[in-house]
Amino acid sequence: MEEVNQSVVPEFIILGLCESWKIQAFLLLICSSLYLITILGNTFIIFLNITDLSLHSPMYFLLANLSFIDFCLSSVNTPKMITDFLKENKTISFGGCMCQIFFGHFFGGGEMLLLVSMAYDHYVAICKPLHYSSIMNRQMCIGLVMTSWIIGFIHSISQLALIVNLPFCGPRELDSFFCDIPLVIKLACMDTYILEMLINADSGVLATICFILLLISYSYILFTVCPHSKDGASKGLSTCTAHITVVVLFFGPCVFIYLWPLNITWMDKFLAVFYAVITPLLNPAVYALRNKEIKNAIR
């Protein structure tokens, strides 16, 4: 028999979220609406930041970059999921699958670092207000954004390098609506235990470091504000609520998808939809609706 290269399969079969056409039609409407709102909302924040001079500050520069990353992150998997709702046979090419994995981790890793940068900006603004303009200058802001992109790229390319040459010769069915490492690695025709440990360590180190830095930053802000006034705690919490909300809702699904898998199919799918569709919507929803400067710019 002629030898076949089993390292690369032509395509994977996507099982999707459910089999019911009625539920898929409902999800098509919901996900399409949310995706449209996400694109318009994040684009609008970027437009406001460029055109309104009152928003030309480090905080809104970082916010505009976060909007851009959310715009890109939402476009990695959601359009494919929406079009698959209209198809009976859902497939994705091997190259398309690898692209989803690369860009998903690229933008996801970049967003983690950018959230840390925004927390640092918040810390300097509240704890060192007299030095804010000298610390958070233009060079620092550009450096923080470039660092988030570079580390996101390194994280993503290291993840992709570990799985791109795996042998896939058995089942090709992905019980989800997109390609991701925990799903794809299960289809490899080899023992992947050590490889899974390496991948989880890669994702775990980045997510854990970012989360610890965020906790330290916001804890220090609260401890700094509280002693200075009776309402210090409430003011500090009010100031940080938007950031903390985004951080918790962004890192929550990541923990259960990559670091502490539940191995419950419907829960994994729910968390994946939440991460792909809802999380990129949080930026315009949380920041814009709670921010006075952005509301004034909109008016």
Side-chain angles (χ1 to χ4, degrees), residues 174-188:
L174 296 171
D175 193 7
S176 185
F177 63 93
F178 74 116
C179 282
D180 201 7
I181 291 178
L183 301 171
V184 173
I185 201 171
K186 292 179 181 178
L187 304 180

Side-chain angles (χ1 to χ4, degrees), residues 5 21 30-31 47 53 60-61 83 100 113 133-134 141 146 178 189 201 222 229 259 274 296 299:
N5 182 7
W21 281 104
I30 297 298
C31 292
F47 174 76
L53 295 179
Y60 295 108
F61 173 76
T83 56
Q100 280 193 340
L113 270 297
S133 58
S134 59
C141 292
M146 291 301 298
F178 74 116
C189 305
L222 294 178
S229 67
L259 305 182
F274 187 92
N296 292 333
R299 294 193 188 100

